[in-house]
Amino acid sequence: MTITVGTDSYITVAEAVAYSVGRGWTAWDTATVDQKEFALKEATVYLDQTYTFKGSIAEATQVLSWPRKEVEDKEGRAISPTVVPQR
């Protein structure tokens, strides 16, 4: 199993590991790479099927809900249609 960022996940396993380390999530450390990839794919499906995001998809051919165009952060700053916000 492999992850393709932008197709079935928003982040890589390495990015998820760095995120979990920064938050002290020790349970994530015991998961195998396959389990981590599965969890990231499931999380992506959950996000895209559960939330309605502002703006519209950046490209008609993209698979995931992000990146998006015509979106601002909570401070009113435009979010580039070429990025997926980290938060």
Side-chain angles (χ1 to χ4, degrees):
M1 186 182 321
T2 10
I3 281 186
T4 304
V5 173
T7 300
D8 54 17
S9 179
Y10 284 110
I11 61 173
T12 65
V13 170
E15 291 169 324
V17 167
Y19 186 87
S20 69
V21 166
R23 281 149 188 81
W25 296 349
T26 56
W28 184 257
D29 295 339
T30 62
T32 67
V33 172
D34 283 347
Q35 290 169 326
K36 290 174 183 175
E37 289 178 351
F38 178 79
L40 291 173
K41 288 177 181 181
E42 288 296 303
T44 300
V45 169
Y46 176 81
L47 288 171
D48 280 1
Q49 290 183 350
T50 304
Y51 295 98
T52 302
F53 299 105
K54 294 180 180 179
S56 57
I57 57 173
E59 300 291 331
T61 57
Q62 74 187 59
V63 178
L64 302 178
S65 294
W66 283 90
R68 301 185 74 73
K69 58 186 176 182
E70 301 165 7
V71 180
E72 296 177 341
D73 68 11
K74 66 181 183 177
E75 303 298 329
R77 297 172 291 212
I79 297 174
S80 171
T82 62
V83 301
V84 176
Q86 293 296 306
R87 295 189 89 148

Coordinates of all heavy atoms in Angstrom, one line a residue:
M1 N 0.9 -1.2 0.0 CA 0.0 0.0 0.0 C 0.9 1.2 0.0 O 1.9 1.3 0.7 CB -0.9 0.0 1.3 CG -1.9 1.0 1.3 SD -2.9 1.1 2.8 CE -3.2 -0.6 3.2
T2 N 0.6 2.2 -0.8 CA 1.3 3.4 -0.8 C 0.4 4.6 -0.9 O -0.8 4.5 -1.4 CB 2.2 3.6 -2.1 OG1 1.9 2.5 -3.0 CG2 3.7 3.5 -1.7
I3 N 0.8 5.7 -0.4 CA 0.0 6.9 -0.4 C 0.5 7.8 -1.6 O 1.6 7.9 -1.8 CB 0.2 7.7 0.9 CG1 -0.6 7.1 2.0 CG2 -0.1 9.2 0.8 CD1 -0.6 7.8 3.3
T4 N -0.5 8.4 -2.2 CA -0.3 9.4 -3.2 C -0.9 10.7 -2.7 O -2.1 10.8 -2.7 CB -0.9 9.0 -4.6 OG1 -0.4 7.7 -4.9 CG2 -0.5 10.0 -5.7
V5 N 0.0 11.6 -2.3 CA -0.5 12.9 -1.8 C -1.3 13.6 -2.9 O -0.8 13.7 -4.0 CB 0.6 13.8 -1.2 CG1 0.1 15.2 -0.9 CG2 1.2 13.1 0.0
G6 N -2.5 14.1 -2.6 CA -3.3 14.8 -3.6 C -4.3 13.9 -4.3 O -5.2 14.3 -4.9
T7 N -4.1 12.6 -4.1 CA -5.0 11.6 -4.6 C -5.8 10.8 -3.6 O -7.0 10.7 -3.6 CB -4.3 10.6 -5.5 OG1 -3.7 11.3 -6.6 CG2 -5.2 9.6 -6.1
D8 N -5.1 10.3 -2.6 CA -5.7 9.6 -1.5 C -5.3 10.0 -0.1 O -5.8 9.4 0.9 CB -5.5 8.1 -1.7 CG -4.1 7.6 -1.8 OD1 -3.2 8.4 -1.4 OD2 -3.9 6.5 -2.3
S9 N -4.5 11.0 0.0 CA -4.1 11.6 1.3 C -3.7 13.0 1.1 O -3.2 13.4 0.1 CB -3.0 10.8 1.9 OG -2.6 11.3 3.2
Y10 N -3.8 13.8 2.2 CA -3.4 15.2 2.2 C -1.9 15.3 2.6 O -1.2 16.3 2.3 CB -4.2 16.1 3.1 CG -5.5 16.4 2.4 CD1 -6.7 15.9 2.9 CD2 -5.6 17.2 1.3 CE1 -8.0 16.2 2.4 CE2 -6.8 17.6 0.7 CZ -8.0 17.0 1.3 OH -9.2 17.3 0.7
I11 N -1.4 14.3 3.3 CA 0.0 14.3 3.8 C 0.7 13.0 3.6 O 0.0 11.9 3.5 CB 0.1 14.8 5.2 CG1 -0.7 13.8 6.2 CG2 -0.4 16.2 5.4 CD1 -0.5 14.1 7.7
T12 N 2.0 13.0 3.7 CA 2.7 11.7 3.7 C 2.8 11.1 5.1 O 2.5 11.7 6.1 CB 4.2 12.0 3.2 OG1 4.8 12.8 4.2 CG2 4.2 12.7 1.9
V13 N 3.3 9.8 5.1 CA 3.5 9.2 6.4 C 4.5 9.9 7.2 O 4.4 10.2 8.4 CB 3.9 7.7 6.2 CG1 4.3 7.1 7.5 CG2 2.7 6.9 5.6
A14 N 5.6 10.4 6.6 CA 6.6 11.1 7.3 C 6.1 12.4 7.9 O 6.4 12.8 9.0 CB 7.8 11.5 6.3
E15 N 5.2 13.1 7.2 CA 4.6 14.3 7.7 C 3.7 14.0 8.9 O 3.7 14.7 9.9 CB 3.8 15.1 6.7 CG 4.7 15.7 5.6 CD 3.9 16.2 4.4 OE1 2.9 15.5 4.0 OE2 4.3 17.2 3.8
A16 N 3.0 12.9 8.8 CA 2.1 12.5 9.9 C 3.0 12.1 11.1 O 2.6 12.4 12.3 CB 1.2 11.3 9.5
V17 N 4.1 11.4 10.9 CA 5.0 11.0 12.0 C 5.5 12.3 12.7 O 5.5 12.4 13.9 CB 6.1 10.1 11.5 CG1 7.2 10.0 12.6 CG2 5.6 8.8 11.1
A18 N 6.0 13.3 11.9 CA 6.5 14.5 12.5 C 5.4 15.2 13.3 O 5.6 15.7 14.4 CB 7.0 15.4 11.4
Y19 N 4.2 15.2 12.8 CA 3.0 15.8 13.5 C 2.8 15.1 14.8 O 2.6 15.8 15.8 CB 1.8 15.8 12.6 CG 0.6 16.5 13.1 CD1 0.4 17.9 12.9 CD2 -0.4 15.9 13.8 CE1 -0.7 18.6 13.3 CE2 -1.5 16.5 14.3 CZ -1.6 17.9 14.1 OH -2.7 18.5 14.5
S20 N 2.8 13.8 14.8 CA 2.5 13.0 16.0 C 3.6 13.2 17.0 O 3.3 13.3 18.2 CB 2.2 11.5 15.7 OG 3.5 10.9 15.2
V21 N 4.8 13.2 16.6 CA 5.9 13.4 17.5 C 5.8 14.7 18.2 O 6.0 14.9 19.5 CB 7.3 13.3 16.8 CG1 8.4 13.8 17.7 CG2 7.5 11.9 16.4
G22 N 5.4 15.8 17.5 CA 5.3 17.1 18.0 C 4.2 17.2 19.1 O 4.1 18.2 19.9
R23 N 3.3 16.3 19.0 CA 2.1 16.3 20.0 C 2.2 15.2 21.0 O 1.3 15.0 21.8 CB 0.8 16.2 19.2 CG 0.5 17.6 18.6 CD -0.2 17.5 17.3 NE -0.3 18.8 16.8 CZ 0.6 19.4 16.1 NH1 1.8 18.9 15.9 NH2 0.4 20.6 15.6
G24 N 3.3 14.4 21.0 CA 3.5 13.3 22.0 C 2.6 12.1 21.8 O 2.2 11.5 22.8
W25 N 2.1 11.9 20.6 CA 1.2 10.7 20.4 C 2.0 9.4 20.2 O 2.5 9.1 19.2 CB 0.4 10.9 19.1 CG -0.5 12.1 19.1 CD1 -0.9 12.8 20.2 CD2 -1.2 12.6 18.0 NE1 -1.8 13.8 19.8 CE2 -2.0 13.7 18.4 CE3 -1.2 12.3 16.6 CZ2 -2.8 14.5 17.6 CZ3 -2.0 13.1 15.8 CH2 -2.8 14.1 16.3
T26 N 2.2 8.8 21.3 CA 3.1 7.6 21.3 C 2.4 6.3 20.7 O 3.1 5.5 20.2 CB 3.5 7.2 22.8 OG1 2.3 7.1 23.6 CG2 4.4 8.3 23.3
A27 N 1.1 6.3 20.7 CA 0.4 5.2 20.1 C 0.7 5.1 18.6 O 0.7 4.0 18.0 CB -1.1 5.3 20.3
W28 N 0.8 6.2 17.9 CA 1.1 6.2 16.5 C 2.5 5.5 16.2 O 2.6 4.9 15.1 CB 1.1 7.7 16.0 CG 1.3 7.9 14.6 CD1 2.5 8.3 14.0 CD2 0.3 7.7 13.5 NE1 2.3 8.4 12.6 CE2 1.0 8.1 12.3 CE3 -1.0 7.3 13.5 CZ2 0.3 8.0 11.1 CZ3 -1.6 7.3 12.3 CH2 -1.0 7.6 11.1
D29 N 3.4 5.6 17.1 CA 4.7 5.0 16.9 C 4.7 3.5 16.8 O 5.5 2.9 16.1 CB 5.6 5.3 18.1 CG 6.0 6.8 18.3 OD1 5.8 7.5 17.3 OD2 6.3 7.2 19.4
T30 N 3.7 2.8 17.4 CA 3.6 1.4 17.3 C 2.9 0.9 16.1 O 2.9 -0.3 15.8 CB 2.8 0.8 18.6 OG1 1.5 1.3 18.6 CG2 3.5 1.2 19.8
A31 N 2.3 1.7 15.3 CA 1.6 1.3 14.1 C 2.6 1.0 13.0 O 3.6 1.7 12.9 CB 0.6 2.4 13.6
T32 N 2.3 0.1 12.1 CA 3.1 -0.2 11.0 C 2.9 0.9 9.9 O 1.9 1.6 10.0 CB 2.8 -1.6 10.4 OG1 1.4 -1.5 9.8 CG2 2.8 -2.7 11.4
V33 N 3.8 0.9 8.9 CA 3.6 1.8 7.8 C 2.3 1.6 7.1 O 1.6 2.5 6.8 CB 4.8 1.7 6.8 CG1 4.6 2.6 5.6 CG2 6.1 2.2 7.5
D34 N 1.9 0.3 6.9 CA 0.7 0.0 6.2 C -0.5 0.6 7.1 O -1.5 1.1 6.5 CB 0.5 -1.5 6.0 CG 1.3 -2.0 4.8 OD1 1.8 -1.1 4.0 OD2 1.4 -3.2 4.7
Q35 N -0.5 0.4 8.4 CA -1.5 0.9 9.2 C -1.6 2.4 9.2 O -2.7 3.0 9.2 CB -1.3 0.4 10.7 CG -1.5 -1.1 10.8 CD -1.1 -1.6 12.2 OE1 -0.1 -1.1 12.8 NE2 -1.8 -2.6 12.7
K36 N -0.5 3.1 9.2 CA -0.4 4.5 9.1 C -1.0 5.0 7.8 O -1.8 6.0 7.7 CB 1.0 5.0 9.3 CG 1.5 4.9 10.7 CD 3.0 5.2 10.8 CE 3.5 5.0 12.3 NZ 4.9 5.2 12.4
E37 N -0.6 4.3 6.7 CA -1.1 4.7 5.4 C -2.7 4.5 5.3 O -3.4 5.4 4.8 CB -0.5 3.9 4.3 CG 1.0 4.3 4.0 CD 1.7 3.5 3.0 OE1 1.1 2.5 2.5 OE2 2.8 3.9 2.6
F38 N -3.1 3.4 5.9 CA -4.6 3.2 5.9 C -5.3 4.3 6.7 O -6.3 4.8 6.3 CB -4.8 1.8 6.5 CG -6.3 1.5 6.6 CD1 -7.0 1.1 5.5 CD2 -7.0 1.6 7.8 CE1 -8.4 0.8 5.6 CE2 -8.3 1.4 7.9 CZ -9.0 1.0 6.8
A39 N -4.7 4.6 7.8 CA -5.3 5.7 8.7 C -5.4 7.0 8.0 O -6.4 7.7 8.1 CB -4.6 5.8 10.0
L40 N -4.3 7.4 7.3 CA -4.3 8.6 6.6 C -5.3 8.7 5.4 O -6.0 9.7 5.2 CB -2.9 8.9 6.0 CG -1.8 9.2 7.1 CD1 -0.4 9.3 6.5 CD2 -2.2 10.5 7.9
K41 N -5.4 7.5 4.7 CA -6.4 7.5 3.6 C -7.8 7.6 4.2 O -8.7 8.3 3.6 CB -6.2 6.2 2.9 CG -5.0 6.1 2.0 CD -4.8 4.8 1.3 CE -3.6 4.7 0.5 NZ -3.5 3.5 -0.2
E42 N -8.1 6.9 5.3 CA -9.4 7.0 5.9 C -9.7 8.4 6.4 O -10.8 8.8 6.3 CB -9.5 5.9 7.0 CG -9.6 4.5 6.6 CD -10.8 4.2 5.7 OE1 -12.0 4.5 6.2 OE2 -10.7 3.8 4.6
A43 N -8.7 9.0 7.0 CA -8.9 10.4 7.5 C -9.2 11.3 6.4 O -10.1 12.2 6.5 CB -7.6 10.8 8.3
T44 N -8.6 11.1 5.2 CA -8.8 12.0 4.1 C -10.3 11.8 3.6 O -11.0 12.8 3.3 CB -7.8 11.7 3.0 OG1 -6.5 11.9 3.5 CG2 -8.0 12.5 1.7
V45 N -10.7 10.6 3.5 CA -12.1 10.3 3.1 C -13.1 10.9 4.1 O -14.0 11.6 3.7 CB -12.4 8.8 3.0 CG1 -13.8 8.5 2.8 CG2 -11.6 8.2 1.8
Y46 N -12.8 10.8 5.4 CA -13.6 11.4 6.4 C -13.7 12.9 6.2 O -14.8 13.5 6.2 CB -13.1 11.0 7.8 CG -13.9 11.7 8.9 CD1 -15.1 11.2 9.3 CD2 -13.5 12.9 9.5 CE1 -15.9 11.8 10.3 CE2 -14.2 13.5 10.4 CZ -15.4 13.0 10.9 OH -16.1 13.6 11.8
L47 N -12.6 13.6 6.1 CA -12.6 15.0 5.9 C -13.4 15.5 4.7 O -14.2 16.4 4.8 CB -11.1 15.5 5.8 CG -10.3 15.5 7.0 CD1 -8.9 15.8 6.7 CD2 -10.9 16.5 8.1
D48 N -13.1 14.8 3.6 CA -13.8 15.2 2.3 C -15.3 14.9 2.3 O -16.0 15.6 1.7 CB -13.1 14.6 1.1 CG -11.8 15.3 0.7 OD1 -11.5 16.3 1.4 OD2 -11.2 14.9 -0.3
Q49 N -15.7 13.9 3.0 CA -17.1 13.5 3.0 C -17.9 14.2 4.1 O -19.1 14.2 4.1 CB -17.3 12.0 3.1 CG -16.8 11.3 1.8 CD -17.1 9.8 1.9 OE1 -17.4 9.2 2.9 NE2 -16.9 9.1 0.7
T50 N -17.2 14.6 5.1 CA -17.9 15.2 6.3 C -18.1 16.7 6.3 O -19.1 17.2 6.7 CB -17.2 14.8 7.6 OG1 -17.1 13.4 7.6 CG2 -17.9 15.3 8.8
Y51 N -17.1 17.4 5.7 CA -17.0 18.8 5.8 C -17.3 19.5 4.4 O -17.0 18.9 3.4 CB -15.7 19.3 6.3 CG -15.4 18.9 7.7 CD1 -14.6 17.8 8.0 CD2 -16.0 19.6 8.8 CE1 -14.4 17.4 9.3 CE2 -15.8 19.2 10.1 CZ -15.0 18.1 10.3 OH -14.8 17.7 11.6
T52 N -18.0 20.6 4.5 CA -18.3 21.4 3.3 C -17.3 22.6 3.4 O -17.4 23.4 4.4 CB -19.7 21.9 3.2 OG1 -20.6 20.8 3.2 CG2 -20.0 22.8 2.0
F53 N -16.4 22.8 2.5 CA -15.4 23.8 2.6 C -15.8 25.0 1.8 O -16.6 24.9 0.8 CB -14.1 23.3 2.0 CG -13.6 22.1 2.8 CD1 -13.6 20.8 2.3 CD2 -13.0 22.3 4.1 CE1 -13.1 19.8 3.0 CE2 -12.5 21.3 4.8 CZ -12.6 20.0 4.3
K54 N -15.3 26.2 2.2 CA -15.6 27.4 1.5 C -14.9 27.4 0.1 O -14.0 26.6 -0.1 CB -15.1 28.6 2.3 CG -15.9 28.8 3.6 CD -15.4 30.0 4.3 CE -16.2 30.2 5.6 NZ -15.8 31.3 6.4
G55 N -15.3 28.3 -0.8 CA -14.6 28.4 -2.1 C -15.0 27.2 -3.0 O -16.0 26.6 -2.8
S56 N -14.1 27.0 -3.9 CA -14.3 25.9 -4.9 C -13.0 25.2 -5.2 O -11.9 25.8 -4.9 CB -15.0 26.4 -6.2 OG -14.2 27.4 -6.7
I57 N -13.0 24.0 -5.7 CA -11.8 23.3 -6.0 C -11.0 24.1 -6.9 O -11.5 24.8 -7.8 CB -12.0 21.9 -6.5 CG1 -12.9 21.9 -7.7 CG2 -12.6 21.0 -5.4 CD1 -13.0 20.5 -8.4
A58 N -9.6 24.0 -6.8 CA -8.7 24.8 -7.6 C -8.7 24.3 -9.0 O -8.5 25.1 -10.0 CB -7.3 24.8 -7.0
E59 N -8.8 23.0 -9.3 CA -8.7 22.5 -10.6 C -9.8 21.5 -10.8 O -10.1 20.6 -9.9 CB -7.4 21.7 -10.8 CG -6.1 22.6 -10.7 CD -6.0 23.6 -11.8 OE1 -6.5 23.3 -12.9 OE2 -5.4 24.7 -11.6
A60 N -10.5 21.5 -11.9 CA -11.6 20.6 -12.2 C -11.2 19.1 -12.1 O -12.0 18.3 -11.8 CB -12.2 20.9 -13.5
T61 N -9.9 18.8 -12.4 CA -9.5 17.4 -12.4 C -9.0 16.9 -11.1 O -8.7 15.7 -11.0 CB -8.3 17.3 -13.4 OG1 -7.3 18.2 -13.1 CG2 -8.8 17.6 -14.8
Q62 N -8.9 17.7 -10.1 CA -8.4 17.2 -8.8 C -9.4 16.3 -8.1 O -10.6 16.4 -8.3 CB -8.0 18.4 -7.9 CG -9.2 19.1 -7.2 CD -8.8 20.3 -6.5 OE1 -8.2 21.2 -7.0 NE2 -9.1 20.4 -5.2
V63 N -8.8 15.3 -7.4 CA -9.6 14.3 -6.7 C -10.1 14.7 -5.3 O -11.2 14.4 -5.0 CB -8.8 13.0 -6.6 CG1 -9.5 11.9 -5.9 CG2 -8.3 12.5 -8.0
L64 N -9.3 15.4 -4.6 CA -9.6 15.8 -3.2 C -10.2 17.2 -3.2 O -10.2 17.9 -4.1 CB -8.4 15.7 -2.3 CG -7.7 14.4 -2.3 CD1 -6.4 14.5 -1.4 CD2 -8.6 13.3 -1.8
S65 N -10.8 17.5 -2.0 CA -11.4 18.8 -1.8 C -10.5 20.0 -1.8 O -10.9 21.1 -2.0 CB -12.3 18.8 -0.6 OG -13.3 17.9 -0.7
W66 N -9.2 19.7 -1.4 CA -8.2 20.8 -1.4 C -7.1 20.5 -2.4 O -6.9 19.3 -2.6 CB -7.6 20.9 0.0 CG -8.5 21.6 1.0 CD1 -9.5 21.1 1.7 CD2 -8.6 23.0 1.2 NE1 -10.1 22.1 2.4 CE2 -9.6 23.3 2.1 CE3 -7.8 24.1 0.7 CZ2 -9.9 24.5 2.6 CZ3 -8.2 25.4 1.1 CH2 -9.2 25.6 2.1
P67 N -6.5 21.4 -3.0 CA -6.5 22.9 -2.7 C -7.8 23.5 -3.2 O -8.5 22.9 -4.1 CB -5.3 23.5 -3.4 CG -4.9 22.5 -4.4 CD -5.4 21.1 -3.9
R68 N -8.1 24.7 -2.8 CA -9.3 25.4 -3.1 C -9.0 26.9 -3.5 O -8.0 27.4 -3.1 CB -10.3 25.4 -2.0 CG -10.7 24.0 -1.6 CD -11.8 23.9 -0.6 NE -13.1 24.3 -1.0 CZ -13.8 23.5 -1.8 NH1 -13.4 22.3 -2.2 NH2 -15.1 23.8 -2.2
K69 N -9.9 27.5 -4.3 CA -9.7 28.9 -4.6 C -10.8 29.7 -4.0 O -11.8 29.1 -3.6 CB -9.7 29.1 -6.2 CG -10.9 28.6 -6.9 CD -10.7 28.7 -8.4 CE -11.9 28.1 -9.1 NZ -11.7 28.1 -10.5
E70 N -10.6 31.0 -3.9 CA -11.5 31.9 -3.3 C -11.8 31.6 -1.8 O -12.9 31.6 -1.4 CB -12.8 32.0 -4.1 CG -12.6 32.4 -5.6 CD -13.8 32.0 -6.5 OE1 -14.8 31.6 -6.0 OE2 -13.6 32.2 -7.7
V71 N -10.7 31.3 -1.1 CA -10.8 31.0 0.3 C -9.9 31.9 1.1 O -8.8 32.2 0.7 CB -10.5 29.5 0.6 CG1 -10.6 29.2 2.1 CG2 -11.3 28.6 -0.2
E72 N -10.4 32.3 2.3 CA -9.6 33.2 3.2 C -9.5 32.5 4.5 O -10.4 31.7 4.9 CB -10.3 34.5 3.4 CG -10.4 35.4 2.2 CD -11.1 36.7 2.4 OE1 -11.9 36.8 3.4 OE2 -11.0 37.6 1.6
D73 N -8.4 32.7 5.3 CA -8.3 32.2 6.6 C -9.2 33.0 7.5 O -9.9 34.0 7.1 CB -6.9 32.1 7.1 CG -6.2 33.5 7.3 OD1 -6.9 34.5 7.3 OD2 -5.0 33.5 7.5
K74 N -9.2 32.7 8.8 CA -10.1 33.4 9.8 C -9.8 34.9 10.0 O -10.6 35.6 10.5 CB -10.2 32.7 11.1 CG -8.9 32.7 11.9 CD -9.0 31.9 13.1 CE -7.7 32.0 13.9 NZ -7.9 31.3 15.2
E75 N -8.6 35.3 9.5 CA -8.1 36.7 9.6 C -8.4 37.4 8.3 O -8.0 38.6 8.2 CB -6.6 36.7 10.0 CG -6.2 36.0 11.2 CD -6.9 36.6 12.5 OE1 -7.2 37.8 12.5 OE2 -7.1 35.8 13.4
G76 N -9.0 36.8 7.3 CA -9.3 37.4 6.1 C -8.2 37.4 5.1 O -8.3 38.1 4.0
R77 N -7.1 36.7 5.3 CA -6.0 36.6 4.3 C -6.3 35.5 3.3 O -6.8 34.4 3.7 CB -4.7 36.2 5.0 CG -4.3 37.3 6.0 CD -3.1 36.8 6.8 NE -3.5 35.8 7.7 CZ -3.0 35.5 8.9 NH1 -2.0 36.2 9.4 NH2 -3.5 34.6 9.7
A78 N -6.1 35.8 2.1 CA -6.3 34.8 1.0 C -5.4 33.6 1.2 O -4.3 33.7 1.5 CB -6.1 35.5 -0.4
I79 N -6.0 32.4 1.0 CA -5.2 31.2 0.9 C -5.0 30.9 -0.5 O -5.9 30.8 -1.3 CB -6.0 30.0 1.6 CG1 -6.2 30.4 3.1 CG2 -5.3 28.7 1.5 CD1 -7.1 29.4 3.8
S80 N -3.7 30.7 -0.9 CA -3.3 30.4 -2.2 C -4.0 29.1 -2.8 O -4.1 28.1 -2.0 CB -1.8 30.2 -2.3 OG -1.5 29.7 -3.6
P81 N -4.5 29.2 -4.0 CA -5.2 28.0 -4.6 C -4.2 26.9 -4.9 O -4.6 25.9 -5.5 CB -5.9 28.5 -5.8 CG -5.1 29.7 -6.1 CD -4.6 30.3 -4.9
T82 N -2.9 27.1 -4.6 CA -1.9 26.0 -4.9 C -1.5 25.3 -3.6 O -0.6 24.4 -3.7 CB -0.7 26.6 -5.5 OG1 -0.1 27.6 -4.7 CG2 -1.0 27.3 -6.9
V83 N -2.1 25.6 -2.4 CA -1.6 25.0 -1.2 C -2.8 24.4 -0.4 O -4.0 24.8 -0.6 CB -0.9 26.0 -0.2 CG1 0.3 26.6 -0.9 CG2 -1.8 27.1 0.2
V84 N -2.5 23.4 0.4 CA -3.4 22.9 1.4 C -3.0 23.4 2.7 O -1.9 23.2 3.1 CB -3.4 21.3 1.3 CG1 -4.3 20.8 2.4 CG2 -3.8 20.8 0.0
P85 N -3.8 24.2 3.4 CA -3.5 24.7 4.7 C -3.0 23.6 5.7 O -3.6 22.5 5.7 CB -4.7 25.4 5.2 CG -5.5 25.6 3.9 CD -5.2 24.5 3.0
Q86 N -2.1 23.9 6.5 CA -1.6 22.9 7.4 C -2.5 22.7 8.6 O -2.5 21.6 9.2 CB -0.2 23.4 8.0 CG 0.9 23.3 6.9 CD 1.1 21.9 6.4 OE1 1.4 21.0 7.2 NE2 1.0 21.7 5.1
R87 N -3.3 23.7 9.0 CA -4.1 23.5 10.2 C -5.5 23.0 9.8 O -6.1 23.3 8.9 CB -4.3 24.9 10.9 CG -2.9 25.3 11.4 CD -3.1 26.4 12.3 NE -3.4 25.9 13.6 CZ -3.0 26.5 14.7 NH1 -2.4 27.7 14.7 NH2 -3.2 26.0 15.9

